Amino acid sequence: MKDQKKELAAAIAGALENFEEDKVAQLIETPPDSAMGDYAFPCFKLAAVYHKAPQKIAEELAEKLRGNGAFADVKNVNAYVNFFMNRADVGGSVIGDVIAEGDDYGKSDVGGGRPVIVEFSSPNIAKPFHIGHIRSTVIGASLAKIYKALGYDVIRINHLGDYGTQFGKMIVAYRKWGNEEDVKREPIKTLLGYYVKFHEEAENDPSLDDEARATFTKLENGEKEEVEIWQWFREESLKEFSRVYDMLGIEFDSYAGESFYSDKMPRVEKMLEDKGLLQESEGAQIVDLSDYDMPPALIKKKDGSTLYITRDITAAIYRKETYDFYRNIYVVASQQNLHFKQLFKIIELMGYDWANQCIHVPFGMVSLEDGTMSTRKGKVVFLIDVLNKSVEKTREIIAEKNVPEELLDKTAHDVGIGAVIFQELSNNRIKDYTFSWDKVLNFDGETGPYVQYTHARCSSVLRKAGREADELLAGNITPDMSKLTGDVVYELIKAIGRFPDVVLEAGEKYEPSIITRHITDIAELFNKFYHDEHILVEDRDERLAKLAVTAATKQTIKNGLALLGIVAPDRM
Ligand code: ARG
């Protein structure tokens, strides 16, 4: 399909004088509806070159190209030349590609093995992994898969928030009001409780804040008792996070979080100083960014404790030295836009030309139907509860459908988890959105269950076809696509054919929702086709062509879902 556009550009450029193929390619459009042609070439921009009315140019160009055997038809409409491809040829080529490439359909090698870091999830220790964190987790996991499919060498990093003054607060609260059994039984909920209580108490007793600061300094200085408690909080929290990652099927290559950089910061402070970037301000060390219309970055507090951004500068340099990344991608909420602008600017000011290889991929907020969430007030929804509830609700829904008893648990899991992931990846990531159960689990809307169900429907058709379908998939039979050139099926075939470009675009824009939307379109087109036509018809050629389209639809949906981190069930 990709080459098709290139061939078209060459043909048009060949019929024109003084207009290069590249420029032609940029002008070629894809009409929204195949009834207007597969491609359209607008001639407005040519008017200045040829000193002629664009309509006239289009008319002459259409005349010249009409005889070209590559097109089924060439039409001139106003200033446009519309090209109609031979539908059977397009069908044969798309279906052939999908069947030959199978699970690899959509993959490419543009990355050439270059290293790309995708940092995502990065929750804070001893704080809940709440529904707000799911966005980073799910978007990042998908981007990692997309970059891998594009041939990059992907390194997935979880930059755990396992360091900082809040641990002073947590330790103080634990000592004053906590006990070991509670923490062991339900680590994060308990630790969160301490944190909330600390803030309540500190409102009336400001000395608590001083105590927390002193405790954190002890931790930074490596005092045994503080380090032990902190390590224990970290372990218990990680155990709980792992449960979520297991449920989502997500893995990381590195858990180097903030604490990992604690012994690497002095070197970086020295580098900042040597480059003349550090300034003293009220006893603290800062980097002045006023020339760039940004507030100063606080590198070190008066009491000597380091900050979030200090650890991030150190982490970026460490990553460059360790992985020699081609891209260093941070999937972090848009609330931190300023932080990343400051971070990248400081890296640039340090003289690193790789500053522009660091990319912040921001996303909007999730809120619940009854308002937003705040960790401080303890009003949070735990991700693990959301996932469990989704699986449970899905189980109820599918128990009434014809899922065999032994597949019920697995299907409920795959569909329940898939529904939550799909919803997360449905909107442009930058948009704020409200989490709603009705939307997540609607089997008829533009949802995960709907797309998964379409996949299962394709599987069921192929199962019914039996051996014939196996032969098709094995490539032993080449279907004759001239039997199948109707408008709906042709749109479906073209959408399947665009899939590799869609994966590329999703990667370039750091936007998994482009894939989500595309496979939803494919599912909708297939279902239209399925309702309009009987697939297992008497006529063998027609039946084989229809089965081939069904197999290609199933494969493309499966590959698309895989890039989102969602399983494609064969029955549901
Ligand atoms: N732990 C932080 C939070 O939950 C996110 C970390 C983002 N990554 C980074 N390199 N700063 O808000």
Side-chain angles (χ1 to χ4, degrees):
M1 283 285 277
K2 236 188 219 158
D3 299 338
Q4 205 178 56
K5 199 169 164 186
K6 217 173 132 50
E7 281 162 25
L8 173 65
I12 296 174
L16 292 167
E17 276 163 40
N18 310 324
F19 213 81
E20 292 148 28
E21 195 182 311
D22 277 1
K23 278 201 209 151
V24 170
Q26 278 169 23
L27 289 176
I28 293 175
E29 294 174 4
T30 310
D33 180 344
S34 298
M36 291 147 77
D38 297 303
Y39 297 103
F41 183 68
C43 295
F44 304 102
K45 293 239 164 89
L46 278 62
V49 182
Y50 301 114
H51 309 290
K52 257 192 227 174
Q55 287 84 346
K56 185 82 187 141
I57 300 171
E59 196 185 311
E60 289 171 8
L61 186 60
E63 190 57 45
K64 267 197 204 162
L65 288 168
R66 205 156 282 142
N68 188 321
F71 313 111
D73 200 2
V74 180
K75 282 187 187 152
N76 160 230
V77 181
N78 298 321
Y80 283 86
V81 185
N82 295 339
F83 297 87
F84 295 78
M85 310 309 281
N86 180 318
R87 292 187 172 189
D89 289 352
V90 173
S93 126
V94 169
I95 303 285
D97 284 353
V98 182
I99 289 180
E101 293 174 34
D103 288 350
D104 288 337
Y105 182 63
K107 292 187 185 163
S108 64
D109 194 28
V110 290
R114 284 171 290 182
V116 166
I117 290 177
V118 183
E119 185 219 283
F120 63 103
S121 197
S122 310
N124 300 320
I125 295 299
K127 292 224 197 121
F129 196 127
H130 58 72
I131 181 164
H133 277 118
I134 191 188
R135 301 219 74 191
S136 171
T137 308
V138 168
I139 294 168
S142 174
L143 287 178
K145 291 195 158 79
I146 292 169
Y147 272 83
K148 190 159 186 288
L150 294 174
Y152 292 92
D153 181 12
V154 175
I155 304 114
R156 297 159 298 182
I157 299 185
N158 193 334
H159 187 79
L160 284 178
D162 56 1
Y163 215 60
T165 44
Q166 72 270 27
F167 290 97
K169 295 177 187 173
M170 216 97 65
I171 293 171
V172 169
Y174 170 70
R175 282 177 173 155
K176 285 198 190 309
W177 312 294
N179 72 73
E180 199 174 323
E181 292 77 63
D182 287 349
V183 176
K184 282 209 168 127
R185 190 167 26 84
E186 225 180 7
I188 294 191
K189 279 184 189 170
T190 307
L191 292 169
L192 175 68
Y194 297 158
Y195 188 68
V196 173
K197 184 155 169 91
F198 181 93
H199 279 276
E200 281 164 8
E201 299 283 331
E203 270 181 33
N204 304 319
D205 181 2
S207 78
L208 279 174
D209 280 318
D210 298 331
E211 206 178 324
R213 258 191 296 277
T215 308
F216 179 63
T217 306
K218 282 191 187 164
L219 179 61
E220 279 215 299
N221 294 340
E223 304 236 359
K224 192 160 170 275
E225 249 179 72
E226 280 71 17
V227 170
E228 267 172 18
I229 300 186
W230 166 80
Q231 236 155 16
W232 177 53
F233 286 174
R234 188 181 191 275
E235 268 162 37
E236 295 293 335
S237 303
L238 262 181
K239 269 189 223 157
E240 207 165 319
F241 295 151
S242 300
R243 284 218 297 278
V244 173
Y245 296 138
D246 286 350
M247 267 189 113
L248 292 168
I250 284 174
E251 285 170 29
F252 293 92
D253 302 299
S254 161
Y255 278 88
E258 295 187 41
S259 69
F260 179 76
Y261 300 101
S262 57
D263 62 346
K264 299 173 183 61
M265 281 184 286
R267 172 181 162 230
V268 171
E269 284 162 33
K270 174 103 182 19
M271 284 156 82
L272 284 167
E273 198 175 344
D274 291 348
K275 294 186 197 237
L277 292 168
L278 274 192
Q279 278 177 24
E280 199 177 305
S281 166
E282 296 166 32
Q285 299 291 322
I286 62 156
V287 175
D288 178 36
L289 295 171
S290 56
D291 283 353
Y292 312 98
D293 287 329
M294 285 187 263
L298 190 50
I299 302 293
K300 205 168 179 172
K301 284 191 199 163
K302 202 156 69 184
D303 62 11
S305 57
T306 57
L307 288 117
Y308 184 52
I309 197 161
T310 323
R311 294 187 276 279
D312 258 328
I313 301 168
T314 312
I317 294 170
Y318 175 86
R319 289 177 190 178
K320 188 70 196 180
E321 289 171 349
T322 309
Y323 302 106
D324 193 19
F325 56 71
Y326 164 72
R327 289 280 181 275
N328 176 24
I329 298 169
Y330 299 83
V331 185
V332 184
S334 58
Q335 280 117 312
Q336 297 195 30
N337 280 355
L338 175 62
H339 169 77
F340 284 102
K341 268 177 74 182
Q342 291 176 310
L343 171 64
F344 300 162
K345 183 49 88 179
I346 292 172
I347 292 169
E348 185 192 316
L349 292 174
M350 289 177 87
Y352 291 122
D353 57 2
W354 46 265
N356 61 5
Q357 294 177 331
C358 296
I359 289 153
H360 176 209
V361 174
F363 53 83
M365 286 218 309
V366 197
S367 51
L368 296 171
E369 279 159 310
D370 60 353
T372 50
M373 292 159 289
S374 150
T375 315
R376 287 219 176 157
K377 301 213 178 77
K379 186 181 169 190
V380 289
V381 172
F382 290 83
L383 178 53
I384 192 101
D385 296 339
V386 174
L387 295 175
N388 281 326
K389 188 167 164 187
S390 187
V391 172
E392 219 170 275
K393 284 184 173 227
T394 305
R395 205 172 199 289
E396 284 164 23
I397 298 172
I398 61 171
E400 289 161 19
K401 301 185 188 272
N402 44 6
V403 176
E405 182 67 31
E406 70 276 13
L407 285 178
L408 210 52
D409 283 341
K410 178 165 168 34
T411 310
H413 178 273
D414 292 346
V415 177
I417 303 287
V420 175
I421 298 179
F422 197 94
Q423 149 113 346
E424 277 301 326
L425 299 176
S426 285
N427 301 311
N428 278 357
R429 59 180 156 72
I430 203 68
K431 274 200 203 151
D432 292 347
Y433 91 98
T434 307
F435 186 90
S436 136
W437 281 114
D438 290 346
K439 271 195 219 142
V440 173
L441 292 177
N442 185 344
F443 276 52
D444 299 316
E446 297 179 350
T447 61
Y450 171 77
V451 174
Q452 286 176 314
Y453 185 72
T454 309
H455 178 271
R457 170 173 277 170
C458 293
S459 299
S460 149
V461 172
L462 296 170
R463 267 197 308 274
K464 273 192 207 128
R467 255 197 59 194
E468 218 166 44
D470 298 339
E471 294 284 312
L472 262 177
L473 287 169
N476 297 341
I477 306 176
T478 306
D480 172 6
M481 299 309 290
S482 63
K483 291 279 170 178
L484 211 55
T485 55
D487 289 344
V488 171
V489 76
Y490 187 54
E491 290 297 343
L492 172 59
I493 285 170
K494 286 213 297 182
I496 292 172
R498 274 198 305 278
F499 182 67
D501 282 344
V502 164
V503 178
L504 201 61
E505 191 190 341
E508 275 166 4
K509 296 187 173 156
Y510 309 104
E511 189 66 87
S513 69
I514 294 175
I515 293 177
T516 315
R517 234 170 292 138
H518 193 70
I519 57 174
T520 307
D521 289 349
I522 290 178
E524 276 169 359
L525 285 164
F526 178 80
N527 286 321
K528 225 190 263 176
F529 168 67
Y530 181 86
H531 284 295
D532 290 355
E533 311 231 9
H534 184 50
I535 294 186
L536 299 174
V537 288
E538 277 298 311
D539 183 275
R540 181 172 184 268
D541 283 346
E542 187 185 334
R543 187 173 65 240
L544 284 171
K546 287 177 168 175
L547 281 173
V549 169
T550 307
T553 302
K554 171 175 141 75
Q555 184 72 61
T556 309
I557 289 181
K558 181 182 176 210
N559 295 2
L561 287 173
L563 291 174
L564 305 174
I566 301 175
V567 175
D570 284 317
R571 292 171 201 262
M572 67 182 264

